[in-house]
Amino acid sequence: MKVGPRGQVWWIADESDEPNYLAGWGAAAGTDFGERVREAHDDLGAAFDERAERHAEQRDENNR
C-alpha cells in the first residue's frame, strides 16, 4: 500500500494483555535487552526529574 507524505496508517493491535517488547528484535530475544532498556528509562527519568528540580530551585532564587 502506498501512503503519501501526509498519510496515516492505523492498525489493530494484538489483543494480548502484556505487550511483547522483544517481538521482532531477533538477536535480542532471550537476552536481558528489555531489562536494560527499562533501567535506562528509569535512569534517564530520574536524571530529568533531578535537573528539573534544580532548575526550579535556581529560578526561585533568581526571583527573590
Side-chain angles (χ1 to χ4, degrees):
M1 166 191 321
K2 288 187 175 183
V3 178
R6 293 183 181 207
Q8 293 182 354
V9 178
W10 298 88
W11 62 92
I12 297 173
D14 193 10
E15 295 294 325
S16 64
D17 291 338
E18 287 290 321
N20 183 356
Y21 295 110
L22 294 178
W25 286 92
T31 68
D32 65 344
F33 176 76
E35 183 59 31
R36 293 179 67 196
V37 169
R38 286 183 200 92
E39 289 173 2
H41 173 269
D42 293 345
D43 291 346
L44 288 171
F48 177 83
D49 291 343
E50 181 181 320
R51 183 175 177 142
E53 185 176 320
R54 280 188 281 138
H55 176 75
E57 290 171 357
Q58 186 176 31
R59 183 193 64 224
D60 292 345
E61 286 181 21
N62 292 338
N63 287 335
R64 290 182 191 169

